[in-house]
Short mmCIF file of all heavy atoms in Angstrom, two decimals:
data_model
loop_
_atom_site.label_atom_id
_atom_site.label_comp_id
_atom_site.label_asym_id
_atom_site.label_seq_id
_atom_site.Cartn_x
_atom_site.Cartn_y
_atom_site.Cartn_z
N ARG A 1 14.92 0.07 -0.61
CA ARG A 1 13.79 -0.83 -1.05
C ARG A 1 13.11 -1.45 0.12
O ARG A 1 13.79 -2.38 0.80
CB ARG A 1 14.31 -1.88 -2.05
CG ARG A 1 13.24 -2.59 -2.82
CD ARG A 1 13.78 -3.82 -3.53
NE ARG A 1 12.84 -4.42 -4.46
CZ ARG A 1 12.85 -5.71 -4.86
NH1 ARG A 1 13.86 -6.44 -4.34
NH2 ARG A 1 12.17 -6.12 -5.72
N LEU A 2 11.92 -1.21 0.32
CA LEU A 2 11.19 -1.94 1.42
C LEU A 2 10.43 -3.05 0.82
O LEU A 2 9.96 -3.14 -0.29
CB LEU A 2 10.15 -1.03 1.97
CG LEU A 2 10.73 0.34 2.56
CD1 LEU A 2 9.56 1.11 3.35
CD2 LEU A 2 11.81 0.10 3.52
N SER A 3 10.34 -4.15 1.57
CA SER A 3 9.56 -5.29 1.27
C SER A 3 8.47 -5.57 2.32
O SER A 3 8.62 -5.29 3.56
CB SER A 3 10.47 -6.57 1.27
OG SER A 3 11.48 -6.32 0.26
N CYS A 4 7.40 -6.09 1.80
CA CYS A 4 6.24 -6.54 2.82
C CYS A 4 5.85 -7.94 2.42
O CYS A 4 5.23 -8.09 1.26
CB CYS A 4 5.18 -5.58 2.70
SG CYS A 4 3.71 -6.01 3.72
N ALA A 5 6.11 -8.88 3.17
CA ALA A 5 5.81 -10.34 2.93
C ALA A 5 4.42 -10.60 3.71
O ALA A 5 4.36 -10.44 4.91
CB ALA A 5 6.84 -11.29 3.36
N ALA A 6 3.55 -11.16 2.93
CA ALA A 6 2.23 -11.50 3.51
C ALA A 6 2.16 -12.95 3.68
O ALA A 6 2.54 -13.79 2.77
CB ALA A 6 1.12 -10.91 2.57
N SER A 7 1.42 -13.43 4.69
CA SER A 7 1.17 -14.86 4.82
C SER A 7 -0.13 -15.04 5.66
O SER A 7 -0.66 -14.07 6.15
CB SER A 7 2.26 -15.45 5.65
OG SER A 7 2.40 -14.91 6.97
N GLY A 8 -0.68 -16.18 5.59
CA GLY A 8 -1.85 -16.53 6.41
C GLY A 8 -3.06 -16.86 5.63
O GLY A 8 -4.06 -17.56 5.91
N ARG A 9 -3.23 -16.23 4.29
CA ARG A 9 -4.30 -16.48 3.52
C ARG A 9 -3.99 -16.13 2.05
O ARG A 9 -3.06 -15.33 1.87
CB ARG A 9 -5.60 -15.79 3.96
CG ARG A 9 -5.59 -14.29 3.89
CD ARG A 9 -6.92 -13.77 4.25
NE ARG A 9 -7.86 -13.91 3.25
CZ ARG A 9 -9.23 -13.54 3.51
NH1 ARG A 9 -9.69 -13.19 4.62
NH2 ARG A 9 -10.14 -13.79 2.50
N THR A 10 -4.67 -16.62 1.18
CA THR A 10 -4.50 -16.27 -0.25
C THR A 10 -5.36 -15.02 -0.53
O THR A 10 -6.59 -15.11 -0.16
CB THR A 10 -4.88 -17.36 -1.25
OG1 THR A 10 -4.10 -18.49 -1.04
CG2 THR A 10 -4.71 -16.90 -2.71
N PHE A 11 -4.85 -13.96 -1.11
CA PHE A 11 -5.66 -12.81 -1.42
C PHE A 11 -6.59 -12.97 -2.49
O PHE A 11 -6.20 -13.49 -3.53
CB PHE A 11 -4.69 -11.56 -1.60
CG PHE A 11 -3.96 -11.27 -0.31
CD1 PHE A 11 -2.79 -10.49 -0.43
CD2 PHE A 11 -4.34 -11.47 0.96
CE1 PHE A 11 -1.98 -10.17 0.63
CE2 PHE A 11 -3.67 -11.09 2.12
CZ PHE A 11 -2.49 -10.43 1.97
N SER A 12 -7.70 -12.32 -2.41
CA SER A 12 -8.64 -12.33 -3.61
C SER A 12 -8.07 -11.42 -4.57
O SER A 12 -7.22 -10.50 -4.36
CB SER A 12 -9.96 -11.87 -3.09
OG SER A 12 -10.06 -10.51 -2.96
N ARG A 13 -8.73 -11.40 -5.86
CA ARG A 13 -8.24 -10.56 -6.95
C ARG A 13 -8.72 -9.11 -6.55
O ARG A 13 -8.41 -8.21 -7.39
CB ARG A 13 -8.79 -10.91 -8.18
CG ARG A 13 -10.44 -11.04 -8.26
CD ARG A 13 -10.72 -11.87 -9.57
NE ARG A 13 -12.23 -11.82 -9.75
CZ ARG A 13 -12.85 -10.95 -10.62
NH1 ARG A 13 -12.26 -10.19 -11.21
NH2 ARG A 13 -14.14 -11.29 -10.63
N TYR A 14 -9.53 -8.84 -5.59
CA TYR A 14 -9.91 -7.53 -5.13
C TYR A 14 -8.98 -6.94 -4.14
O TYR A 14 -9.31 -5.74 -3.74
CB TYR A 14 -11.36 -7.57 -4.62
CG TYR A 14 -12.33 -8.15 -5.57
CD1 TYR A 14 -12.88 -9.48 -5.40
CD2 TYR A 14 -12.61 -7.43 -6.76
CE1 TYR A 14 -13.83 -9.96 -6.37
CE2 TYR A 14 -13.62 -7.99 -7.56
CZ TYR A 14 -14.12 -9.26 -7.38
OH TYR A 14 -15.05 -9.76 -8.31
N ALA A 15 -8.01 -7.60 -3.70
CA ALA A 15 -7.26 -7.01 -2.59
C ALA A 15 -6.36 -5.90 -2.98
O ALA A 15 -5.93 -5.74 -4.27
CB ALA A 15 -6.31 -8.08 -2.16
N LEU A 16 -6.24 -4.92 -2.13
CA LEU A 16 -5.37 -3.86 -2.29
C LEU A 16 -4.35 -3.72 -1.20
O LEU A 16 -4.61 -3.86 -0.01
CB LEU A 16 -6.23 -2.42 -2.31
CG LEU A 16 -5.51 -1.17 -2.51
CD1 LEU A 16 -5.16 -0.99 -4.03
CD2 LEU A 16 -6.31 -0.02 -1.94
N MET A 17 -3.12 -3.70 -1.58
CA MET A 17 -1.99 -3.50 -0.70
C MET A 17 -1.34 -2.05 -0.63
O MET A 17 -1.19 -1.56 -1.76
CB MET A 17 -0.92 -4.64 -0.89
CG MET A 17 -1.56 -6.01 -0.69
SD MET A 17 -0.17 -7.32 -0.42
CE MET A 17 0.51 -6.78 1.22
N GLY A 18 -1.14 -1.58 0.62
CA GLY A 18 -0.65 -0.26 0.60
C GLY A 18 0.52 0.00 1.48
O GLY A 18 0.88 -0.96 2.40
N TRP A 19 1.21 1.01 1.34
CA TRP A 19 2.32 1.50 2.17
C TRP A 19 1.83 2.90 2.83
O TRP A 19 1.24 3.79 2.13
CB TRP A 19 3.58 1.71 1.48
CG TRP A 19 4.27 0.53 1.11
CD1 TRP A 19 4.30 -0.07 -0.27
CD2 TRP A 19 5.06 -0.28 1.83
NE1 TRP A 19 5.04 -1.28 -0.19
CE2 TRP A 19 5.58 -1.39 1.08
CE3 TRP A 19 5.54 -0.16 3.21
CZ2 TRP A 19 6.50 -2.30 1.60
CZ3 TRP A 19 6.37 -1.18 3.67
CH2 TRP A 19 6.84 -2.17 2.92
N PHE A 20 2.06 3.01 4.10
CA PHE A 20 1.68 4.21 4.82
C PHE A 20 2.97 4.55 5.63
O PHE A 20 3.87 3.67 5.77
CB PHE A 20 0.61 3.93 5.77
CG PHE A 20 -0.76 3.72 5.07
CD1 PHE A 20 -1.07 2.57 4.56
CD2 PHE A 20 -1.63 4.74 5.02
CE1 PHE A 20 -2.20 2.35 3.96
CE2 PHE A 20 -2.89 4.59 4.33
CZ PHE A 20 -3.24 3.31 3.87
N ARG A 21 3.00 5.66 6.18
CA ARG A 21 4.09 6.02 6.93
C ARG A 21 3.73 7.07 8.08
O ARG A 21 2.81 7.77 7.89
CB ARG A 21 5.29 6.76 6.15
CG ARG A 21 4.91 8.04 5.55
CD ARG A 21 5.99 8.52 4.56
NE ARG A 21 5.64 9.87 3.89
CZ ARG A 21 6.44 10.42 2.97
NH1 ARG A 21 7.66 9.75 2.49
NH2 ARG A 21 6.07 11.53 2.46
N GLN A 22 4.53 7.05 9.11
CA GLN A 22 4.29 7.84 10.27
C GLN A 22 5.44 8.56 10.78
O GLN A 22 6.38 7.78 11.22
CB GLN A 22 3.45 7.25 11.40
CG GLN A 22 3.00 8.18 12.48
CD GLN A 22 2.07 7.56 13.41
OE1 GLN A 22 1.95 6.31 13.58
NE2 GLN A 22 1.23 8.34 14.13
N ALA A 23 5.61 9.82 10.73
CA ALA A 23 6.75 10.49 11.15
C ALA A 23 6.55 11.03 12.50
O ALA A 23 5.42 11.14 13.01
CB ALA A 23 7.04 11.78 10.35
N PRO A 24 7.54 11.17 13.35
CA PRO A 24 7.44 11.56 14.72
C PRO A 24 6.54 12.83 14.94
O PRO A 24 6.80 13.83 14.21
CB PRO A 24 8.94 11.91 15.28
CG PRO A 24 9.73 11.07 14.29
CD PRO A 24 9.03 11.07 12.90
N GLY A 25 5.55 12.75 15.69
CA GLY A 25 4.73 13.71 16.02
C GLY A 25 3.71 14.11 14.86
O GLY A 25 2.92 15.16 15.03
N LYS A 26 3.54 13.25 14.00
CA LYS A 26 2.62 13.56 12.76
C LYS A 26 1.67 12.32 12.71
O LYS A 26 1.96 11.22 13.23
CB LYS A 26 3.40 13.63 11.54
CG LYS A 26 4.25 14.98 11.50
CD LYS A 26 4.86 15.20 10.12
CE LYS A 26 5.57 16.60 10.03
NZ LYS A 26 6.13 16.78 8.74
N GLU A 27 0.58 12.53 11.96
CA GLU A 27 -0.30 11.46 11.65
C GLU A 27 0.21 10.51 10.62
O GLU A 27 0.94 10.92 9.90
CB GLU A 27 -1.74 12.03 11.34
CG GLU A 27 -2.29 12.73 12.49
CD GLU A 27 -3.81 13.21 12.10
OE1 GLU A 27 -4.11 13.03 10.93
OE2 GLU A 27 -4.52 13.71 12.96
N ARG A 28 -0.27 9.33 10.77
CA ARG A 28 0.01 8.39 9.70
C ARG A 28 -0.56 8.84 8.45
O ARG A 28 -1.70 9.27 8.32
CB ARG A 28 -0.39 7.04 10.07
CG ARG A 28 0.03 5.90 9.18
CD ARG A 28 -0.09 4.52 9.77
NE ARG A 28 -1.65 4.32 10.03
CZ ARG A 28 -2.07 3.33 10.77
NH1 ARG A 28 -1.19 2.36 11.32
NH2 ARG A 28 -3.39 3.16 10.92
N GLU A 29 0.19 8.66 7.34
CA GLU A 29 -0.31 9.05 5.95
C GLU A 29 -0.03 8.03 5.00
O GLU A 29 0.84 7.25 4.99
CB GLU A 29 0.37 10.35 5.55
CG GLU A 29 1.94 10.24 5.33
CD GLU A 29 2.68 11.59 5.01
OE1 GLU A 29 1.98 12.68 5.24
OE2 GLU A 29 3.70 11.54 4.51
N PHE A 30 -0.82 8.10 3.95
CA PHE A 30 -0.81 7.18 2.70
C PHE A 30 0.48 7.55 1.97
O PHE A 30 0.81 8.69 1.70
CB PHE A 30 -2.07 7.35 1.97
CG PHE A 30 -2.03 6.76 0.56
CD1 PHE A 30 -2.25 5.29 0.48
CD2 PHE A 30 -1.75 7.39 -0.55
CE1 PHE A 30 -2.28 4.69 -0.66
CE2 PHE A 30 -1.65 6.77 -1.76
CZ PHE A 30 -1.96 5.40 -1.80
N VAL A 31 1.17 6.49 1.49
CA VAL A 31 2.23 6.61 0.55
C VAL A 31 1.91 6.16 -0.87
O VAL A 31 2.08 6.84 -1.86
CB VAL A 31 3.56 5.92 1.06
CG1 VAL A 31 4.63 6.11 0.12
CG2 VAL A 31 3.92 6.51 2.38
N ALA A 32 1.53 4.88 -0.95
CA ALA A 32 1.33 4.24 -2.19
C ALA A 32 0.51 3.03 -2.00
O ALA A 32 0.43 2.48 -0.97
CB ALA A 32 2.62 3.82 -2.95
N ALA A 33 -0.17 2.57 -2.99
CA ALA A 33 -0.91 1.24 -2.96
C ALA A 33 -0.88 0.65 -4.33
O ALA A 33 -0.73 1.28 -5.36
CB ALA A 33 -2.32 1.52 -2.54
N ILE A 34 -1.22 -0.83 -4.37
CA ILE A 34 -1.15 -1.49 -5.52
C ILE A 34 -2.26 -2.39 -5.52
O ILE A 34 -2.45 -3.13 -4.46
CB ILE A 34 0.28 -2.19 -5.82
CG1 ILE A 34 0.21 -2.91 -7.17
CG2 ILE A 34 0.59 -3.16 -4.69
CD1 ILE A 34 1.62 -3.34 -7.59
N HIS A 35 -3.03 -2.58 -6.54
CA HIS A 35 -4.16 -3.59 -6.67
C HIS A 35 -3.52 -4.89 -6.99
O HIS A 35 -2.60 -4.97 -7.83
CB HIS A 35 -5.08 -3.04 -7.84
CG HIS A 35 -6.37 -3.74 -7.70
ND1 HIS A 35 -6.67 -4.89 -8.26
CD2 HIS A 35 -7.54 -3.25 -7.05
CE1 HIS A 35 -7.96 -5.25 -8.05
NE2 HIS A 35 -8.47 -4.28 -7.36
N TRP A 36 -3.99 -5.83 -6.15
CA TRP A 36 -3.27 -7.17 -6.14
C TRP A 36 -3.41 -7.82 -7.49
O TRP A 36 -2.37 -8.45 -7.98
CB TRP A 36 -3.92 -7.96 -5.10
CG TRP A 36 -3.17 -9.29 -4.80
CD1 TRP A 36 -3.52 -10.59 -4.94
CD2 TRP A 36 -1.92 -9.32 -4.27
NE1 TRP A 36 -2.48 -11.36 -4.48
CE2 TRP A 36 -1.58 -10.67 -3.98
CE3 TRP A 36 -0.92 -8.36 -3.82
CZ2 TRP A 36 -0.32 -11.07 -3.50
CZ3 TRP A 36 0.34 -8.76 -3.25
CH2 TRP A 36 0.58 -10.13 -3.12
N SER A 37 -4.47 -7.77 -8.20
CA SER A 37 -4.58 -8.47 -9.42
C SER A 37 -4.27 -7.69 -10.79
O SER A 37 -3.76 -8.12 -11.69
CB SER A 37 -5.98 -9.07 -9.60
OG SER A 37 -6.91 -8.09 -9.68
N THR A 38 -4.70 -6.45 -10.78
CA THR A 38 -4.54 -5.62 -11.93
C THR A 38 -3.24 -4.92 -12.02
O THR A 38 -2.62 -4.56 -13.04
CB THR A 38 -5.59 -4.59 -11.95
OG1 THR A 38 -5.41 -3.63 -10.97
CG2 THR A 38 -7.07 -5.15 -11.94
N GLY A 39 -2.57 -4.75 -10.80
CA GLY A 39 -1.30 -4.04 -10.77
C GLY A 39 -1.43 -2.58 -10.75
O GLY A 39 -0.41 -1.80 -10.75
N GLY A 40 -2.66 -2.03 -10.78
CA GLY A 40 -2.86 -0.63 -10.87
C GLY A 40 -2.20 0.02 -9.51
O GLY A 40 -2.37 -0.63 -8.40
N THR A 41 -1.81 1.16 -9.68
CA THR A 41 -1.01 1.78 -8.56
C THR A 41 -1.47 3.22 -8.33
O THR A 41 -2.13 3.89 -9.10
CB THR A 41 0.55 1.97 -8.85
OG1 THR A 41 0.75 2.67 -10.12
CG2 THR A 41 1.11 0.54 -9.05
N TYR A 42 -1.29 3.57 -7.02
CA TYR A 42 -1.71 4.86 -6.52
C TYR A 42 -0.55 5.44 -5.64
O TYR A 42 0.00 4.73 -4.95
CB TYR A 42 -3.00 4.85 -5.74
CG TYR A 42 -4.06 3.93 -6.27
CD1 TYR A 42 -4.16 2.62 -6.09
CD2 TYR A 42 -5.10 4.51 -6.99
CE1 TYR A 42 -5.18 1.82 -6.61
CE2 TYR A 42 -6.13 3.84 -7.42
CZ TYR A 42 -6.23 2.45 -7.33
OH TYR A 42 -7.25 1.76 -7.74
N TYR A 43 -0.32 6.75 -5.77
CA TYR A 43 0.71 7.47 -4.96
C TYR A 43 0.32 8.76 -4.44
O TYR A 43 -0.59 9.42 -5.11
CB TYR A 43 1.91 7.64 -5.95
CG TYR A 43 2.64 6.50 -6.47
CD1 TYR A 43 2.27 5.96 -7.82
CD2 TYR A 43 3.66 5.79 -5.78
CE1 TYR A 43 2.86 4.87 -8.27
CE2 TYR A 43 4.25 4.65 -6.34
CZ TYR A 43 3.79 4.23 -7.59
OH TYR A 43 4.57 3.11 -8.10
N ARG A 44 0.85 9.12 -3.38
CA ARG A 44 0.64 10.43 -2.87
C ARG A 44 1.54 11.34 -3.76
O ARG A 44 2.70 10.96 -4.22
CB ARG A 44 0.95 10.61 -1.29
CG ARG A 44 2.46 10.47 -1.03
CD ARG A 44 2.73 10.77 0.48
NE ARG A 44 2.30 12.11 0.91
CZ ARG A 44 1.22 12.31 1.66
NH1 ARG A 44 0.45 11.27 1.99
NH2 ARG A 44 1.01 13.57 1.99
N ASP A 45 1.13 12.62 -3.84
CA ASP A 45 1.89 13.48 -4.75
C ASP A 45 3.33 13.74 -4.41
O ASP A 45 4.12 13.78 -5.32
CB ASP A 45 1.10 14.84 -4.79
CG ASP A 45 -0.18 14.80 -5.51
OD1 ASP A 45 -0.53 13.81 -6.33
OD2 ASP A 45 -1.04 15.82 -5.34
N SER A 46 3.62 13.67 -3.14
CA SER A 46 5.08 14.07 -2.80
C SER A 46 6.07 12.97 -3.20
O SER A 46 7.25 13.23 -3.01
CB SER A 46 5.11 14.41 -1.33
OG SER A 46 4.75 13.24 -0.42
N VAL A 47 5.60 11.72 -3.38
CA VAL A 47 6.54 10.66 -3.74
C VAL A 47 6.40 10.25 -5.27
O VAL A 47 7.18 9.45 -5.74
CB VAL A 47 6.24 9.48 -2.87
CG1 VAL A 47 6.24 9.82 -1.37
CG2 VAL A 47 4.90 8.76 -3.23
#
């Protein structure tokens, strides 16, 4: 279970937070994202 703690400002209701990953020798790729206020989620197919 990964965690990401944010600080420095209050996010607007339009904020989107995402997870990305980069394997050795590969480009960084999208993993998942969540809309801050609605809780709507997005995933890459492989996960």
Side-chain angles (χ1 to χ4, degrees):
R1 187 195 196 205
L2 305 183
S3 300
C4 174
S7 62
R9 66 178 286 173
T10 301
F11 293 154
S12 78
R13 60 192 182 99
Y14 301 108
L16 181 76
M17 293 196 71
W19 286 99
F20 293 79
R21 66 186 181 187
Q22 186 167 23
K26 295 187 177 181
E27 293 187 352
R28 188 167 59 190
E29 63 183 18
F30 170 80
V31 177
I34 184 166
H35 199 273
W36 193 242
S37 62
T38 67
T41 57
Y42 311 85
Y43 296 94
R44 71 177 295 108
D45 286 346
S46 63
V47 307

